[in-house]
Amino acid sequence: MAGIDGRHFVGPDNGLLSILWQRGRRRDCRRIAWQPMRLSASFHARDLFAPVAAALALRRVPRGWLVPKARPEVLLASRDLARVIYIDHYGNAVTGLRFTNANATLRVGRRALRYARTFEQARQPFWYGNSIGLVEIAAPRASAARALRLTVGTRVALS
């Protein structure tokens, strides 16, 4: 569990919260010491994390449920990841780059892709800032993954 900039995040210490942790200004890390009477092997979100999140939301965390620790055990790199991290069923490719500048050019292999705000503005494969603030590669009425031979892990560069 991590308190970051006034918000609480409850989850496993497997790197899931590490980027938030590293980018946060005010941070507080705690290990969940409490365990329910029945804890399944595969439903920790339901059995462990949900009750702790509910207690935090109600501001009624029983004494001993959370134990302070210096930082999460697993910290992944906080920098952007210049690779394709997900390809959806339309063939759009999400990268690990944050959208910051619409004037930039995205390089994918030997191809240089330009920014387009909407699919209608584009005539060929392009990039845009998606709803979660990441750079996404798309193609109008086509699969960008197929057109550009993208796979999860393909390197990209924004300049």
Side-chain angles (χ1 to χ4, degrees):
M1 184 245 120
I4 302 166
D5 295 334
R7 294 189 170 127
H8 296 289
F9 298 90
V10 180
D13 191 352
N14 63 3
L16 179 68
L17 304 176
S18 66
I19 293 174
L20 291 170
W21 174 265
Q22 292 181 72
R23 292 181 183 166
R25 292 188 179 147
R26 294 184 334 267
R27 304 178 301 195
D28 174 42
C29 186
R30 298 186 182 257
R31 180 180 60 78
I32 299 172
W34 170 79
Q35 286 207 356
M37 297 274 289
R38 294 183 62 205
L39 179 62
S40 75
S42 58
F43 289 104
H44 283 83
R46 177 195 68 197
D47 298 342
L48 185 65
F49 303 140
V52 170
L56 285 164
L58 292 171
R59 296 184 179 170
R60 293 184 183 165
V61 181
R63 190 177 313 255
W65 273 31
L66 303 174
V67 177
K69 59 190 277 188
R71 64 178 188 80
E73 297 288 324
V74 179
L75 290 174
L76 304 175
S78 64
R79 68 187 182 283
D80 287 3
L81 182 61
R83 293 182 183 268
V84 170
I85 60 172
Y86 175 74
I87 297 173
D88 69 16
H89 64 280
Y90 296 108
N92 297 341
V94 179
T95 73
L97 298 173
R98 286 176 284 171
F99 171 70
T100 57
N101 180 1
N103 295 318
T105 299
L106 183 71
R107 299 203 66 75
V108 180
R110 294 182 177 164
R111 297 281 305 260
L113 305 181
R114 297 200 180 276
Y115 170 84
R117 189 170 168 273
T118 65
F119 281 69
E120 278 304 306
Q121 292 177 339
R123 302 286 178 248
Q124 58 192 9
F126 67 101
W127 72 271
Y128 67 100
N130 69 15
S131 62
I132 59 172
L134 296 175
V135 169
E136 188 162 331
I137 304 165
R141 293 170 288 286
S143 165
R146 192 172 301 122
L148 300 170
R149 296 183 180 162
L150 302 173
T151 60
V152 171
T154 297
R155 292 178 189 262
V156 295
L158 200 58
S159 58

